[in-house]
Amino acid sequence: MAGQLQFDLVSPERLLLSEPVDQVIVPGIEGDFAALPEHMNLISLIRPGVLYVYKGGSAPERIFVGGGFAEVTATGCTVLAEQAEPVGEIDRAAAERAIADAREDVEDAKDEVAKAVAQNELKVAEARLAAAVEPSSY
């Protein structure tokens, strides 16, 4: 399988990446999957985790995504992320504070909807800290 695919990573704030790449590993809701050139069409929800972008034979670029969805075609992969930032830019102290705040929000939730929202925020905060602390797995 030769060639590259067009990769676009978009967050609510901005377009983070738009370039040809060799491969992207996406944290899908049902497990990680690799998007490669000539990939079968696919749409998937993504879970909070690390997205790996491979290009030019160098070490992958690691980007934390806080959920969203991915669309893969034979020529490209587009990820619309609810939150995205390079793993190297994650402030560990701020990530730890976000976890503590989210835990408080879970405890203080007044109803099931508020509790579910707070639990989701906690899950994202924990995944963000894990991305900053854990070594690359791919």
Side-chain angles (χ1 to χ4, degrees), residues 96-118:
E96 290 169 352
R97 284 191 305 275
I99 290 172
D101 291 345
R103 286 185 177 141
E104 281 184 27
D105 291 346
V106 170
E107 291 175 14
D108 296 342
K110 304 288 186 212
D111 57 41
E112 290 304 311
V113 173
K115 187 172 185 173
V117 169

PDB file of all heavy atoms in Angstrom, residues 96-118:
ATOM      1  N   GLU A  96      -4.066  17.574  36.607  1.00  0.00           N
ATOM      2  CA  GLU A  96      -4.410  17.019  37.922  1.00  0.00           C
ATOM      3  C   GLU A  96      -5.489  17.857  38.608  1.00  0.00           C
ATOM      4  O   GLU A  96      -6.404  17.313  39.235  1.00  0.00           O
ATOM      5  CB  GLU A  96      -3.159  16.909  38.798  1.00  0.00           C
ATOM      6  CG  GLU A  96      -2.216  15.823  38.320  1.00  0.00           C
ATOM      7  CD  GLU A  96      -0.855  15.852  38.987  1.00  0.00           C
ATOM      8  OE1 GLU A  96      -0.548  16.822  39.736  1.00  0.00           O
ATOM      9  OE2 GLU A  96      -0.079  14.900  38.749  1.00  0.00           O
ATOM     10  N   ARG A  97      -5.413  19.190  38.461  1.00  0.00           N
ATOM     11  CA  ARG A  97      -6.448  20.063  39.025  1.00  0.00           C
ATOM     12  C   ARG A  97      -7.792  19.818  38.341  1.00  0.00           C
ATOM     13  O   ARG A  97      -8.833  19.814  38.998  1.00  0.00           O
ATOM     14  CB  ARG A  97      -6.052  21.537  38.893  1.00  0.00           C
ATOM     15  CG  ARG A  97      -5.004  21.971  39.890  1.00  0.00           C
ATOM     16  CD  ARG A  97      -4.818  23.483  39.910  1.00  0.00           C
ATOM     17  NE  ARG A  97      -4.506  24.070  38.612  1.00  0.00           N
ATOM     18  CZ  ARG A  97      -3.291  24.153  38.090  1.00  0.00           C
ATOM     19  NH1 ARG A  97      -2.244  23.683  38.763  1.00  0.00           N
ATOM     20  NH2 ARG A  97      -3.103  24.717  36.911  1.00  0.00           N
ATOM     21  N   ALA A  98      -7.772  19.586  37.025  1.00  0.00           N
ATOM     22  CA  ALA A  98      -9.012  19.320  36.295  1.00  0.00           C
ATOM     23  C   ALA A  98      -9.668  18.033  36.785  1.00  0.00           C
ATOM     24  O   ALA A  98     -10.898  17.954  36.891  1.00  0.00           O
ATOM     25  CB  ALA A  98      -8.733  19.235  34.793  1.00  0.00           C
ATOM     26  N   ILE A  99      -8.858  17.030  37.122  1.00  0.00           N
ATOM     27  CA  ILE A  99      -9.395  15.778  37.665  1.00  0.00           C
ATOM     28  C   ILE A  99     -10.045  16.041  39.019  1.00  0.00           C
ATOM     29  O   ILE A  99     -11.163  15.585  39.286  1.00  0.00           O
ATOM     30  CB  ILE A  99      -8.300  14.699  37.770  1.00  0.00           C
ATOM     31  CG1 ILE A  99      -7.900  14.231  36.375  1.00  0.00           C
ATOM     32  CG2 ILE A  99      -8.784  13.523  38.619  1.00  0.00           C
ATOM     33  CD1 ILE A  99      -6.695  13.312  36.347  1.00  0.00           C
ATOM     34  N   ALA A 100      -9.368  16.775  39.884  1.00  0.00           N
ATOM     35  CA  ALA A 100      -9.923  17.082  41.203  1.00  0.00           C
ATOM     36  C   ALA A 100     -11.234  17.857  41.074  1.00  0.00           C
ATOM     37  O   ALA A 100     -12.218  17.559  41.767  1.00  0.00           O
ATOM     38  CB  ALA A 100      -8.907  17.864  42.031  1.00  0.00           C
ATOM     39  N   ASP A 101     -11.264  18.845  40.179  1.00  0.00           N
ATOM     40  CA  ASP A 101     -12.482  19.626  39.965  1.00  0.00           C
ATOM     41  C   ASP A 101     -13.619  18.750  39.439  1.00  0.00           C
ATOM     42  O   ASP A 101     -14.767  18.876  39.875  1.00  0.00           O
ATOM     43  CB  ASP A 101     -12.223  20.764  38.970  1.00  0.00           C
ATOM     44  CG  ASP A 101     -11.313  21.847  39.541  1.00  0.00           C
ATOM     45  OD1 ASP A 101     -11.097  21.878  40.776  1.00  0.00           O
ATOM     46  OD2 ASP A 101     -10.809  22.657  38.733  1.00  0.00           O
ATOM     47  N   ALA A 102     -13.294  17.858  38.517  1.00  0.00           N
ATOM     48  CA  ALA A 102     -14.319  16.981  37.941  1.00  0.00           C
ATOM     49  C   ALA A 102     -14.856  16.017  38.997  1.00  0.00           C
ATOM     50  O   ALA A 102     -16.061  15.731  39.031  1.00  0.00           O
ATOM     51  CB  ALA A 102     -13.754  16.219  36.745  1.00  0.00           C
ATOM     52  N   ARG A 103     -13.985  15.522  39.864  1.00  0.00           N
ATOM     53  CA  ARG A 103     -14.449  14.636  40.957  1.00  0.00           C
ATOM     54  C   ARG A 103     -15.415  15.373  41.881  1.00  0.00           C
ATOM     55  O   ARG A 103     -16.418  14.823  42.316  1.00  0.00           O
ATOM     56  CB  ARG A 103     -13.261  14.081  41.733  1.00  0.00           C
ATOM     57  CG  ARG A 103     -12.527  13.009  40.977  1.00  0.00           C
ATOM     58  CD  ARG A 103     -11.428  12.363  41.796  1.00  0.00           C
ATOM     59  NE  ARG A 103     -10.814  11.302  41.010  1.00  0.00           N
ATOM     60  CZ  ARG A 103      -9.524  11.042  40.999  1.00  0.00           C
ATOM     61  NH1 ARG A 103      -8.686  11.736  41.762  1.00  0.00           N
ATOM     62  NH2 ARG A 103      -9.048  10.072  40.241  1.00  0.00           N
ATOM     63  N   GLU A 104     -15.105  16.622  42.189  1.00  0.00           N
ATOM     64  CA  GLU A 104     -16.012  17.434  43.003  1.00  0.00           C
ATOM     65  C   GLU A 104     -17.346  17.618  42.309  1.00  0.00           C
ATOM     66  O   GLU A 104     -18.403  17.547  42.957  1.00  0.00           O
ATOM     67  CB  GLU A 104     -15.391  18.803  43.287  1.00  0.00           C
ATOM     68  CG  GLU A 104     -14.374  18.816  44.380  1.00  0.00           C
ATOM     69  CD  GLU A 104     -13.867  20.221  44.677  1.00  0.00           C
ATOM     70  OE1 GLU A 104     -14.603  21.206  44.439  1.00  0.00           O
ATOM     71  OE2 GLU A 104     -12.721  20.325  45.145  1.00  0.00           O
ATOM     72  N   ASP A 105     -17.294  17.869  40.996  1.00  0.00           N
ATOM     73  CA  ASP A 105     -18.532  18.051  40.234  1.00  0.00           C
ATOM     74  C   ASP A 105     -19.396  16.785  40.259  1.00  0.00           C
ATOM     75  O   ASP A 105     -20.615  16.869  40.333  1.00  0.00           O
ATOM     76  CB  ASP A 105     -18.228  18.445  38.792  1.00  0.00           C
ATOM     77  CG  ASP A 105     -17.642  19.845  38.677  1.00  0.00           C
ATOM     78  OD1 ASP A 105     -17.722  20.616  39.668  1.00  0.00           O
ATOM     79  OD2 ASP A 105     -17.087  20.161  37.604  1.00  0.00           O
ATOM     80  N   VAL A 106     -18.761  15.620  40.202  1.00  0.00           N
ATOM     81  CA  VAL A 106     -19.506  14.362  40.278  1.00  0.00           C
ATOM     82  C   VAL A 106     -20.192  14.258  41.640  1.00  0.00           C
ATOM     83  O   VAL A 106     -21.377  13.923  41.733  1.00  0.00           O
ATOM     84  CB  VAL A 106     -18.585  13.143  40.031  1.00  0.00           C
ATOM     85  CG1 VAL A 106     -19.303  11.842  40.354  1.00  0.00           C
ATOM     86  CG2 VAL A 106     -18.096  13.116  38.583  1.00  0.00           C
ATOM     87  N   GLU A 107     -19.450  14.556  42.699  1.00  0.00           N
ATOM     88  CA  GLU A 107     -20.009  14.470  44.053  1.00  0.00           C
ATOM     89  C   GLU A 107     -21.126  15.485  44.280  1.00  0.00           C
ATOM     90  O   GLU A 107     -22.092  15.201  44.995  1.00  0.00           O
ATOM     91  CB  GLU A 107     -18.906  14.681  45.090  1.00  0.00           C
ATOM     92  CG  GLU A 107     -17.907  13.549  45.151  1.00  0.00           C
ATOM     93  CD  GLU A 107     -16.751  13.842  46.100  1.00  0.00           C
ATOM     94  OE1 GLU A 107     -16.846  14.799  46.905  1.00  0.00           O
ATOM     95  OE2 GLU A 107     -15.748  13.107  46.025  1.00  0.00           O
ATOM     96  N   ASP A 108     -20.997  16.675  43.679  1.00  0.00           N
ATOM     97  CA  ASP A 108     -21.962  17.751  43.900  1.00  0.00           C
ATOM     98  C   ASP A 108     -23.145  17.728  42.939  1.00  0.00           C
ATOM     99  O   ASP A 108     -24.042  18.571  43.068  1.00  0.00           O
ATOM    100  CB  ASP A 108     -21.264  19.113  43.782  1.00  0.00           C
ATOM    101  CG  ASP A 108     -20.206  19.325  44.859  1.00  0.00           C
ATOM    102  OD1 ASP A 108     -20.241  18.595  45.875  1.00  0.00           O
ATOM    103  OD2 ASP A 108     -19.338  20.202  44.668  1.00  0.00           O
ATOM    104  N   ALA A 109     -23.162  16.799  42.013  1.00  0.00           N
ATOM    105  CA  ALA A 109     -24.228  16.757  41.008  1.00  0.00           C
ATOM    106  C   ALA A 109     -25.600  16.638  41.669  1.00  0.00           C
ATOM    107  O   ALA A 109     -25.793  15.828  42.576  1.00  0.00           O
ATOM    108  CB  ALA A 109     -23.997  15.605  40.045  1.00  0.00           C
ATOM    109  N   LYS A 110     -26.538  17.442  41.191  1.00  0.00           N
ATOM    110  CA  LYS A 110     -27.879  17.496  41.786  1.00  0.00           C
ATOM    111  C   LYS A 110     -28.845  16.489  41.177  1.00  0.00           C
ATOM    112  O   LYS A 110     -29.861  16.174  41.770  1.00  0.00           O
ATOM    113  CB  LYS A 110     -28.464  18.905  41.638  1.00  0.00           C
ATOM    114  CG  LYS A 110     -27.611  19.987  42.225  1.00  0.00           C
ATOM    115  CD  LYS A 110     -27.636  19.961  43.732  1.00  0.00           C
ATOM    116  CE  LYS A 110     -26.880  21.146  44.290  1.00  0.00           C
ATOM    117  NZ  LYS A 110     -26.231  20.898  45.528  1.00  0.00           N
ATOM    118  N   ASP A 111     -28.553  16.029  39.965  1.00  0.00           N
ATOM    119  CA  ASP A 111     -29.439  15.064  39.315  1.00  0.00           C
ATOM    120  C   ASP A 111     -28.615  14.139  38.421  1.00  0.00           C
ATOM    121  O   ASP A 111     -27.402  14.303  38.294  1.00  0.00           O
ATOM    122  CB  ASP A 111     -30.541  15.777  38.517  1.00  0.00           C
ATOM    123  CG  ASP A 111     -30.002  16.730  37.464  1.00  0.00           C
ATOM    124  OD1 ASP A 111     -29.015  16.384  36.774  1.00  0.00           O
ATOM    125  OD2 ASP A 111     -30.560  17.827  37.311  1.00  0.00           O
ATOM    126  N   GLU A 112     -29.273  13.170  37.831  1.00  0.00           N
ATOM    127  CA  GLU A 112     -28.565  12.166  37.023  1.00  0.00           C
ATOM    128  C   GLU A 112     -27.919  12.764  35.775  1.00  0.00           C
ATOM    129  O   GLU A 112     -26.844  12.332  35.361  1.00  0.00           O
ATOM    130  CB  GLU A 112     -29.514  11.022  36.641  1.00  0.00           C
ATOM    131  CG  GLU A 112     -29.904  10.152  37.815  1.00  0.00           C
ATOM    132  CD  GLU A 112     -28.709   9.557  38.544  1.00  0.00           C
ATOM    133  OE1 GLU A 112     -27.809   8.987  37.889  1.00  0.00           O
ATOM    134  OE2 GLU A 112     -28.662   9.673  39.787  1.00  0.00           O
ATOM    135  N   VAL A 113     -28.563  13.756  35.173  1.00  0.00           N
ATOM    136  CA  VAL A 113     -27.990  14.379  33.973  1.00  0.00           C
ATOM    137  C   VAL A 113     -26.702  15.110  34.339  1.00  0.00           C
ATOM    138  O   VAL A 113     -25.672  14.952  33.674  1.00  0.00           O
ATOM    139  CB  VAL A 113     -29.007  15.333  33.303  1.00  0.00           C
ATOM    140  CG1 VAL A 113     -28.357  16.115  32.172  1.00  0.00           C
ATOM    141  CG2 VAL A 113     -30.213  14.557  32.793  1.00  0.00           C
ATOM    142  N   ALA A 114     -26.751  15.901  35.401  1.00  0.00           N
ATOM    143  CA  ALA A 114     -25.554  16.628  35.839  1.00  0.00           C
ATOM    144  C   ALA A 114     -24.447  15.653  36.228  1.00  0.00           C
ATOM    145  O   ALA A 114     -23.267  15.891  35.946  1.00  0.00           O
ATOM    146  CB  ALA A 114     -25.895  17.543  37.006  1.00  0.00           C
ATOM    147  N   LYS A 115     -24.831  14.563  36.850  1.00  0.00           N
ATOM    148  CA  LYS A 115     -23.834  13.560  37.250  1.00  0.00           C
ATOM    149  C   LYS A 115     -23.192  12.918  36.026  1.00  0.00           C
ATOM    150  O   LYS A 115     -21.976  12.715  35.982  1.00  0.00           O
ATOM    151  CB  LYS A 115     -24.475  12.492  38.130  1.00  0.00           C
ATOM    152  CG  LYS A 115     -23.476  11.522  38.710  1.00  0.00           C
ATOM    153  CD  LYS A 115     -24.131  10.598  39.722  1.00  0.00           C
ATOM    154  CE  LYS A 115     -23.073   9.730  40.381  1.00  0.00           C
ATOM    155  NZ  LYS A 115     -23.615   8.933  41.477  1.00  0.00           N
ATOM    156  N   ALA A 116     -23.990  12.587  35.008  1.00  0.00           N
ATOM    157  CA  ALA A 116     -23.458  11.977  33.785  1.00  0.00           C
ATOM    158  C   ALA A 116     -22.500  12.932  33.076  1.00  0.00           C
ATOM    159  O   ALA A 116     -21.443  12.518  32.589  1.00  0.00           O
ATOM    160  CB  ALA A 116     -24.591  11.565  32.856  1.00  0.00           C
ATOM    161  N   VAL A 117     -22.852  14.211  33.024  1.00  0.00           N
ATOM    162  CA  VAL A 117     -21.973  15.209  32.399  1.00  0.00           C
ATOM    163  C   VAL A 117     -20.667  15.306  33.173  1.00  0.00           C
ATOM    164  O   VAL A 117     -19.582  15.311  32.584  1.00  0.00           O
ATOM    165  CB  VAL A 117     -22.681  16.586  32.319  1.00  0.00           C
ATOM    166  CG1 VAL A 117     -21.704  17.683  31.930  1.00  0.00           C
ATOM    167  CG2 VAL A 117     -23.841  16.536  31.327  1.00  0.00           C
ATOM    168  N   ALA A 118     -20.751  15.345  34.498  1.00  0.00           N
ATOM    169  CA  ALA A 118     -19.545  15.442  35.323  1.00  0.00           C
ATOM    170  C   ALA A 118     -18.687  14.188  35.196  1.00  0.00           C
ATOM    171  O   ALA A 118     -17.454  14.282  35.153  1.00  0.00           O
ATOM    172  CB  ALA A 118     -19.939  15.675  36.783  1.00  0.00           C
TER     173      ALA A 118
END
